[in-house]
Amino acid sequence: MSNIQFPDTFLWGGATAANQLEGAFTAGGKGLSIQDVMPHGILTPRTEGPTDDNLKQVGIDFYNRYAEDIALFAEMGFTVYRFSIAWSRIFPNGDEAEPNEEGLAFYDRVLDELEKHGIEPLITLSHYETPLHLSEKYDGWVSRELIGFFENYARAVFERYRGRVKYWLTFNEINSVLHAPFLSGGINTPKDELSESDLYQAVHHELVASARVTRLAHEIDPAYRVGCMVIALPIYPLTPAPDDIVKVLNADHENLMFTDVHVRGVYPGYALRHFRDHGIKLNITDLDREDLKNTVDFVSFSYYMSMCESADPSSLKAEGNILGRILNPHLEASEWGWQIDPQGLRVILNQFWDRFQKPLFIVENGLGAKDQLVEIDGVRTVVDDYRITYLNDHLVQVAEALDDGVDVMGYTTWGCIDLVAASTAQLSKRYGFIYVDRNDDGTGTLDRYKKKSFHWYADVIRTSGASLQV
Ligand code: BG6
């Protein structure tokens, strides 16, 4: 046992996204989302329409098995579950006037189960699943009209679930739109044909929409707490050369702009300079400037890795979660090349706290790995010591940050149950405490099995971190 004791109020749980686990991609009147034309992830171009080889059409069948899955989360002692609402279940095309009752009713049932087990919901409004129609007809967030459509959608769910939900997130990893415009912003124009002005105009529309629905949430229920959500990426200079340090400064600014606007309600000077220097002309109205002042209650983020930056063009590139940069020679990597840096989590928690002085929520962290289902004493399981080590080492750094005085609200591991990967659309890239019998070729029974990490996480939660190995 360690001396670690997380606060009693600390929220412990796991995170998922609708398109990666629900399946039932047309059930209950659901419309298509951009995910239905991304059968192989983000590295291959979108398809014309849905194709049978898209694992997300069935996902892990959470749409039908949510009660069983939530019961397993409860068995681990979760006090929070982060999930997303599929926008196209509520507004199948995205631009209708009235919501789809069957879609709303599905999330009522999910909330019923969570309530039964005393698990707090944490809901992402938009997690890489823009309705396809909004992408094809309006070019996604490039169009200002999406602000209104998003507000209608947010109003429908804020009103429907009032009194049942406290925590909301607006856009998942909003800063990824600069690198993955279709996935993140539903922008149908191919990336290499998209002008920087259109791209940043889309960013601006998302920022305004985020601020407007933050105000709306507070109006509809003053108890609602709304957070932004970004990819957190500590960036280290490859060497102490001043040119490398300036590279880091610029790379940090590219990411931090999103959080700065969400927390401070205005564009920072360095962003205005970037627009000027790059000839980026934006349509920012006086009303937009007013709207942006509706700032968030907390800052949430995913953390998978740190990166390096270097002014030397021959430096080795790193694989990454959308924002790939330069390889750090001191770090090991996952089977997918994502560099593992638990201390980076303490670093970014401190940096964000020092900069924002807002409560922080780690809403994604975890290890994607190939698991082997085995039988031990007649019980099927996975001996995932590598995942336990990864999560243990990151949680120890969260405890360090708490000791540093950082206000951390909670921690939800990514993919607490195996699901379809966002970047590669594989099921074999597994993150869960719960193994799901489904393979990359779509075969499998969809049965669930508890991995070794399932019992490990239950102990961590039960002991408020005391069982962590320092
Ligand atoms: C984050 C996303 O980027 O990383 C998740 O918010 C995603 O949707 C997670 O699943 C892990 O990435 P991947 O590609 O391994 O699924």
Side-chain angles (χ1 to χ4, degrees), residues 16-17 19-20 35 42 82 127-128 172-173 176 183 229 231 302 304 320-322 336 338 363-364 366-368 414-415 419-426 429-431:
T16 61
N19 72 86
Q20 294 175 253
Q35 290 292 340
I42 57 175
R82 172 182 176 226
H127 192 131
Y128 295 161
N172 181 64
E173 302 192 330
S176 62
L183 173 84
M229 195 305 199
I231 299 181
S302 62
Y304 293 94
N321 176 18
I322 303 173
W336 276 265
W338 293 19
V363 296
E364 286 188 33
L367 178 71
W414 175 249
L419 37 63
V420 183
S423 55
T424 58
Q426 294 168 292
K429 190 180 187 190
R430 296 173 184 275
Y431 286 85

